[in-house]
Amino acid sequence: MRNLRVLLSCAAAFASVGMPLQAQESGPVKIGVLTDISGQFSHESGEGAVAAVKMAVEDFGGKVLGRPLEVVVADHQNKPEVAVSTAREWYESQGVTMINNLINSGIALAVTQVAKDEDKIAIVNGSGSSRLTNDSCTPNSIHYSYDTYALANGTANELIREGKKDWYFLTADYAFGHALEADASQIVKANGGTVSGSVRYPIETSDHSAFMLQAQASPAEVVALAGSGTTFVNAVKSASEFGLAASGKTVAGLLVWATDVHALGLETAQGMILTNAFYWDRDDETRAFAKKFQERVGRPPHMGDAGDYSSTMHYLKSVEAAGTTDAKEVMAKMKETPINDFFATGGKIREDGRMVHDMYVYQVKTPEESKGEWDLLKLVTTIPGDEAFRPLSESECPLVKK
């Protein structure tokens, strides 16, 4: 009898543990979009990121593993402490299994570590720092759309090929700007170029005159703008007002979104060389996605939007294939499954979390070449994925087997 009571007690204990787990497994699968809704990076993320993730959820059918899908959204306000607190609450208390977008590299670097701590998944589409798959890689995060290495690799190589080897950097003073300058400088020097100098400007500034005077005084042939958001747009406008291009210097944008070109206007941005992961008018598949997206948002998608959709869809397909939302099993499925959609053909997620795919070097059209409001870019060259991103032989990621 005593043994029976012990067995019954143990069975009750196991049941009490199992019930909440069973309830949790039958509840909704939640995806978080942690982004900049109202700040200077909102035109690169914000409403577009939310729309793209929701479109992917809807196109998947609104359910996975027989459970409803929910999308939760928060504005991190470009404050790492807000982002970390939100991510931790979502993972621990709200049942969120994956967080997407993560614009602002400082925030992405912080939240991917939270994902590691909580054994959940984070997918970065908004931010670019190559540290995310280098020294700060995690087994729980994926860097999907682009990174600073690929951006610098494409633009620097193209301009050096054109004979423009002397560079000067005008760099936004935050994590992304620093990483972009570092990666571009390395590539310029590796290809026989030189860096004459650099200056860093606060990301909150709207007055670039002092920095432009320094760039103008440099003997460099290329003035490379290493920044993003509205401050990048303001910097390009300032470069135009100071006549940098008219003086014979090439102004290179190291991260240029289609929305940036649209905001600048072709009169100001024409001729600029840039590298991108996606352009809405590339082929029939990109145009089909762009049509659906524009009907919803009012503009064509850029590479962040396209990456948010593609990565969410890849995540959901991997959850379905794995038969679970367990992070380790889903990450394994995501890494073993090729990505073939409108965003990437033959895309693959490496052991460092880098999604490898082709990148594209574009030139901004002249007003005369453009046939419409969003007809902005013409293709210069395609960079195969294995050449676009940092090779694993140079990686500092501890997950990479040497």
Side-chain angles (χ1 to χ4, degrees):
M1 180 64 74
R2 181 177 180 278
N3 288 341
L4 178 60
R5 283 198 298 268
V6 171
L7 287 172
L8 289 171
S9 176
C10 289
F14 280 121
S16 67
V17 172
M19 285 175 64
L21 289 176
Q22 187 177 13
Q24 183 180 352
E25 286 297 318
S26 63
V29 175
K30 294 184 181 180
I31 294 173
V33 184
L34 191 51
T35 187
D36 179 358
I37 298 291
S38 56
Q40 67 162 302
F41 304 119
S42 56
H43 72 291
E44 301 162 352
S45 54
E47 180 188 8
V50 175
V53 171
K54 287 184 175 180
M55 284 173 64
V57 165
E58 291 165 12
D59 289 348
F60 192 77
K63 289 185 177 181
V64 66
L65 305 179
R67 298 161 60 185
L69 286 163
E70 290 184 14
V71 177
V72 297
V73 178
D75 184 351
H76 56 50
Q77 303 168 48
N78 291 302
K79 297 176 180 177
E81 65 276 15
V82 171
V84 166
S85 174
T86 301
R88 203 172 293 283
E89 180 189 359
W90 277 358
Y91 286 144
E92 290 181 352
S93 307
Q94 302 301 317
V96 170
T97 57
M98 185 270 278
I99 296 176
N100 209 330
N101 190 253
L102 297 171
I103 191 84
N104 185 319
S105 288
I107 280 164
L109 288 162
V111 172
T112 52
Q113 293 301 316
V114 176
K116 177 184 175 182
D117 293 344
E118 300 292 339
D119 197 23
K120 304 295 184 182
I121 293 175
I123 303 178
V124 181
N125 278 292
S127 304
S129 174
S130 61
R131 289 189 59 203
L132 287 158
T133 53
N134 202 32
D135 62 300
S136 294
C137 71
T138 83
N140 293 72
S141 54
I142 296 168
H143 204 180
Y144 202 85
S145 289
Y146 73 99
D147 66 24
T148 51
Y149 184 96
L151 296 177
N153 190 20
T155 302
N157 275 322
E158 176 59 27
L159 289 173
I160 288 172
R161 188 187 65 78
E162 294 176 10
K164 296 166 182 176
K165 295 187 175 183
D166 194 352
W167 287 54
Y168 186 92
F169 287 91
L170 186 62
T171 302
D173 193 10
Y174 72 125
F176 171 76
H178 302 169
L180 195 48
E181 180 187 337
D183 285 335
S185 296
Q186 180 183 12
I187 290 164
V188 167
K189 292 172 183 177
N191 284 278
T194 58
V195 176
S196 292
S198 66
V199 63
R200 291 180 175 177
Y201 62 89
I203 62 172
E204 300 85 5
T205 191
S206 58
D207 181 6
H208 294 84
S209 54
F211 310 112
M212 288 299 165
L213 288 171
Q214 293 181 61
Q216 199 170 43
S218 165
E221 302 160 281
V222 178
V223 176
L225 303 180
S228 186
T230 54
T231 189
F232 166 78
V233 171
N234 291 336
V236 176
K237 289 178 178 177
S238 185
S240 178
E241 291 166 4
F242 274 78
L244 262 64
S247 69
K249 295 184 186 298
T250 296
V251 177
L254 294 180
L255 171 57
V256 185
W257 304 78
T259 45
D260 293 334
V261 177
H262 185 263
L264 286 164
L266 296 183
E267 194 67 45
T268 299
Q270 61 182 306
M272 185 182 294
I273 296 291
L274 59 98
T275 302
N276 220 280
F278 171 89
Y279 180 50
W280 72 270
D281 199 22
R282 190 177 73 219
D283 56 38
D284 288 344
E285 282 191 282
T286 61
R287 285 187 284 272
F289 174 72
K291 184 175 184 295
K292 288 175 59 179
F293 185 89
Q294 187 159 6
E295 287 171 354
R296 189 156 183 158
V297 179
R299 62 163 175 80
H302 51 53
M303 65 177 170
D305 305 319
D308 286 322
Y309 179 100
S310 175
S311 60
T312 299
M313 188 64 77
H314 187 59
Y315 168 76
L316 292 172
K317 289 178 179 178
S318 298
V319 169
E320 191 77 55
T324 179
T325 59
D326 176 78
K328 184 176 181 180
E329 292 189 44
V330 174
M331 285 291 290
K333 189 61 68 175
M334 292 181 80
K335 288 181 178 180
E336 73 183 36
T337 307
I339 297 150
N340 290 294
D341 60 10
F342 70 90
F343 181 80
T345 301
K348 57 187 178 184
I349 300 171
R350 298 190 310 202
E351 58 203 278
D352 59 350
R354 174 68 257 166
M355 203 281 265
V356 175
H357 53 83
D358 293 351
M359 294 288 289
Y360 306 89
V361 179
Y362 290 101
Q363 186 174 35
V364 178
K365 290 184 174 182
T366 65
E368 294 73 29
E369 290 173 314
S370 176
K371 295 180 174 64
E373 181 183 2
W374 289 95
D375 182 22
L376 305 172
L377 308 177
K378 55 186 178 183
L379 183 66
V380 175
T381 189
T382 300
I383 310 170
D386 288 337
E387 298 175 16
F389 295 94
R390 189 191 309 277
L392 288 176
S393 60
E394 297 177 8
S395 178
E396 297 175 20
C397 171
L399 302 173
V400 175
K401 299 176 178 64
K402 297 287 186 171

